[in-house]
């Protein structure tokens, strides 16, 4: 598999073993190709990961091999990569790596990390998110073009409620993500409530096109706004992350004028470096902004007061939350029995 090579990043040298190991057989991309990709986009992915507790999605033998998610910082992690202590919904906790240097990304690639999953918090305050993340997830019968249509309406909703601005990116699959930088004033529960308010407003405007129904049997051929991606310990692949699919796609940051013109298949580990060299990080200014959720939380309160629209179900592994409705899919819900005479 070839002798080890050394790569430079931000003044550090990272050793890459087995550089010729094939990671993407369909395209012939090697472990070295993966590392060089991250070297090429290092300022961009570091911007997306900086100071964030980050879960590593690792494929030590490439995309066709076994994989696992590594939440706890590896014991062999260099001491120059800091950590943050985070708490999971179960009450358990862990120290997760928090990249602060470009070399941390290459170090993770050395151990087969394809995708980086950062929390929406920084290590100096791990309980208050600084990003509202909206996941536009195409359901069976829909595709990327349907997500694009939803994204443009989402842009209008964000502007209307608080003058919010979102930064769009491809998921690396068929969907779109829109990230809104926010002031770190609210809890995970409150940020999730704001995401639900966004989803409900989108449903009102595009009832045949968008849904926030948690149960798959109720979604139909619509774009699902996955509000639970804002729950504690739920993460979304970072910008520039490589996704574990045969053609080595990446989650590509977009400018709004590109949403609908560019397509997910345009961006992979072979094409993104040239785009990055030409345009740089098109989301580079995200950290210059921090918006308020007050208008969305006011909308959530009105939804509840005027329409009786309270909380929605959490994922099954979460403890029962205050105010949460029954966590049972409608087709299995117990029907009321006959009334006794």
């Amino acid at each position: 598999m070839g002798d080890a090579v050394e790569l430079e990043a931000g003044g550090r040298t990272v050793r890459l073993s087995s550089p010729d190991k094939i990671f993407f057989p369909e395209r012939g991309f090697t472990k070295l190709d993966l590392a060089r990709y991250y070297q090429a986009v290092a300022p961009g992915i570091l911007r997306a990961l900086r100071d964030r507790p980050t879960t590593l999605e690792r494929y030590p033998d490439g995309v066709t091999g076994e994989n696992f998610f590594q939440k706890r910082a590896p014991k062999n992690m260099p001491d120059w990569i800091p950590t943050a202590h985070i708490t999971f919904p179960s009450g358990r906790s862990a120290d997760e790596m928090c990249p602060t240097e470009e070399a941390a990304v290459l170090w993770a690639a050395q151990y087969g990390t394809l995708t980086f999953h950062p929390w929406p918090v920084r290590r100096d305050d791990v309980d208050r998110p600084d990003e509202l993340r909206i996941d536009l997830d195409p359901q069976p019968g829909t595709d990327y073009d349907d997500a694009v249509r939803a994204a443009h309406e989402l842009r209008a909703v964000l502007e209307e409620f608080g003058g919010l601005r979102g930064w769009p990116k491809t998921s690396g699959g068929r969907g779109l993500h829109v990230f809104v930088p926010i002031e770190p004033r609210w809890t995970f529960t409150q940020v999730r409530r704001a995401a639900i308010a966004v989803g409900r407003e989108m449903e009102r405007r595009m009832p045949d096109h968008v849904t926030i129904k948690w149960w798959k049997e109720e979604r139909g051929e619509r774009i699902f706004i996955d509000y639970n991606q804002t729950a504690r310990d739920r993460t979304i692949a970072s910008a520039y992350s490589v996704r574990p699919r045969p053609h080595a796609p990446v989650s590509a940051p977009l400018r709004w004028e590109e949403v609908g013109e560019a397509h997910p298949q345009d961006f992979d580990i072979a094409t993104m470096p040239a785009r990055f060299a030409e345009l740089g990080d098109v989301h580079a200014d995200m950290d210059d902004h921090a918006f308020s959720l007050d208008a969305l939380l006011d909308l959530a309160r009105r939804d509840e007061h005027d329409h009786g629209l309270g909380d929605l179900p959490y994922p099954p592994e979460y403890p029962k939350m205050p105010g949460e409705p029954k966590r049972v899919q409608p087709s299995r819900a117990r029907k009321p029995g006959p009334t006794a005479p």
Side-chain angles (χ1 to χ4, degrees), residues 85-296:
H85 194 73
I86 48 94
T87 302
F88 303 116
S90 65
R92 300 179 67 185
S93 60
D95 293 324
E96 285 204 357
M97 72 175 291
C98 296
T100 57
E101 303 181 37
E102 296 174 2
V105 177
L106 293 186
W107 177 85
Q110 149 65 12
Y111 292 96
T113 299
L114 297 189
T115 309
F116 295 83
H117 297 267
W119 282 48
V121 300
R122 308 282 183 169
R123 63 189 173 108
D124 60 352
D125 189 349
V126 296
D127 293 316
R128 288 177 175 80
D130 69 346
E131 286 182 345
L132 169 66
R133 298 172 173 179
I134 308 297
D135 181 8
L136 301 174
D137 184 9
Q139 299 303 289
T142 64
D143 57 21
Y144 180 76
D145 290 337
D146 295 301
V148 165
R149 180 181 170 193
H152 285 299
E153 187 63 40
L154 171 62
R155 187 184 186 187
V157 168
L158 292 173
E159 173 62 32
E160 184 173 333
F161 290 92
L164 306 182
R165 175 185 168 193
W167 277 254
K169 68 183 184 71
T170 67
S171 67
R174 299 189 306 138
L176 278 165
H177 303 150
V178 178
F179 285 11
V180 181
I182 60 174
E183 301 168 3
R185 293 168 42 199
W186 297 276
T187 65
F188 277 95
T189 301
Q190 290 170 311
V191 174
R192 179 178 174 274
R193 190 73 171 124
I196 291 172
V198 169
R200 284 180 168 145
E201 182 64 22
M202 289 285 290
E203 276 190 327
R204 284 189 281 267
R205 298 183 183 204
M206 309 178 77
D208 297 326
H209 191 72
V210 167
T211 182
I212 58 168
K213 297 292 186 183
W214 177 246
W215 305 107
K216 292 182 179 180
E217 65 187 36
E218 296 185 304
R219 293 177 191 170
E221 295 184 358
R222 292 179 286 184
I223 298 297
F224 174 48
I225 297 182
D226 190 353
Y227 61 89
N228 270 329
Q229 291 289 41
T230 53
R232 178 184 289 272
D233 193 33
R234 282 298 184 98
T235 57
I236 294 177
S238 77
Y240 301 103
S241 270
V242 179
R243 306 314 310 274
R245 294 180 174 86
H247 59 293
V250 304
S251 180
L254 301 175
R255 298 168 295 192
W256 274 109
E257 58 266 28
E258 295 179 300
V259 176
E261 295 181 0
H263 292 274
Q265 60 268 30
D266 297 337
F267 309 107
D268 57 37
I269 68 172
T271 61
M272 179 57 81
R275 172 182 168 88
F276 194 89
E278 178 184 357
L279 301 177
D281 179 14
V282 298
H283 286 188
D285 62 335
M286 272 189 68
D287 289 345
D288 297 335
H289 302 269
F291 296 98
S292 171
L293 291 181
D294 286 341
L296 284 179

Side-chain angles (χ1 to χ4, degrees), residues 55-95:
T55 297
L56 308 179
E57 187 176 355
R58 292 177 55 188
Y59 288 75
D61 293 315
V63 72
T64 58
E66 294 184 1
N67 71 290
F68 59 95
F69 289 84
Q70 180 147 12
K71 295 186 176 184
R72 299 178 186 276
K75 293 182 179 179
N76 64 339
M77 192 174 72
D79 58 11
W80 49 266
I81 301 178
T83 62
H85 194 73
I86 48 94
T87 302
F88 303 116
S90 65
R92 300 179 67 185
S93 60
D95 293 324

